[in-house]
Amino acid sequence: MRRSFGVAWAFWCLASVAFTAESPGAVTVRETPAGRYLQDARGMPLYFYARDVTPGVSTCNADCAKAWPPLAAPEGAAVSGAFAPIKREDGSYQWAHRGRPLYRYAKDRGKDAALGDRVGNAWSVALLPVQTPPGIAVRAVYAGRVL
């Protein structure tokens, strides 16, 4: 009994930060009570920008990109499952997940603190979609996210 608990706990720990089969090497998935979200190779949360409304196009440039650095992709990077490199206004490349550009937040200091979540009602942690029954949706509220 004790051994099976230890094995299950170890598996859960590994699964919480394991690479997904469809992610670039710099992105992992982290499991939390609030859901599964994307993080960079250092364990820092990644974010989506609500004003990025055209798939594959980043609207966070210049000063915005200083506060919200894009998750850089190497030139010539290939599409990998739900991840694809997109070309930015300045000619550099960044990763996008299902067409949504991915960013870091310059003020994040620890991997367990997503300080950029809901900043300016425009930024959100890059949560992975949750399967819900028809007619049920996940919604962000002041206290968190609810069904």
Side-chain angles (χ1 to χ4, degrees), residues 61-85:
N61 297 293
D63 288 340
C64 176
K66 290 177 185 169
W68 298 91
L71 181 64
E75 187 171 346
V79 173
S80 179
F83 294 87

Side-chain angles (χ1 to χ4, degrees), residues 5 8 16 18-19 24 26 51 58 69 78 114 118 142:
F5 174 76
S16 69
F19 288 92
R51 295 188 182 120
S58 171
R118 292 179 272 179
Y142 181 74

Side-chain angles (χ1 to χ4, degrees), residues 44-65:
M44 304 296 281
L46 296 173
Y47 297 90
F48 293 134
Y49 187 37
R51 295 188 182 120
D52 288 340
V53 294
T54 304
V57 176
S58 171
T59 58
C60 180
N61 297 293
D63 288 340
C64 176

Side-chain angles (χ1 to χ4, degrees), residues 11-141:
F11 178 77
W12 181 86
C13 288
L14 290 172
S16 69
V17 295
F19 288 92
T20 64
E22 55 183 37
S23 66
V27 178
T28 58
V29 175
R30 182 163 186 185
E31 298 272 348
T32 70
R36 297 174 26 190
Y37 68 86
L38 301 175
Q39 63 184 11
D40 68 11
R42 296 178 309 152
M44 304 296 281
L46 296 173
Y47 297 90
F48 293 134
Y49 187 37
R51 295 188 182 120
D52 288 340
V53 294
T54 304
V57 176
S58 171
T59 58
C60 180
N61 297 293
D63 288 340
C64 176
K66 290 177 185 169
W68 298 91
L71 181 64
E75 187 171 346
V79 173
S80 179
F83 294 87
I86 61 171
K87 193 168 189 176
R88 296 181 46 76
E89 189 177 84
D90 65 2
S92 65
Y93 290 85
Q94 88 179 88
W95 286 109
H97 181 261
R98 297 184 185 200
R100 299 182 72 186
L102 292 167
Y103 304 89
R104 295 179 173 103
Y105 185 43
K107 292 183 180 180
D108 278 346
R109 295 290 176 240
K111 60 184 177 182
D112 292 328
L115 300 177
D117 196 24
R118 292 179 272 179
V119 167
N121 290 325
W123 295 92
S124 62
V125 171
L127 286 169
L128 296 178
V130 175
Q131 295 289 81
T132 60
I136 305 293
V138 176
R139 177 177 100 137
V141 294

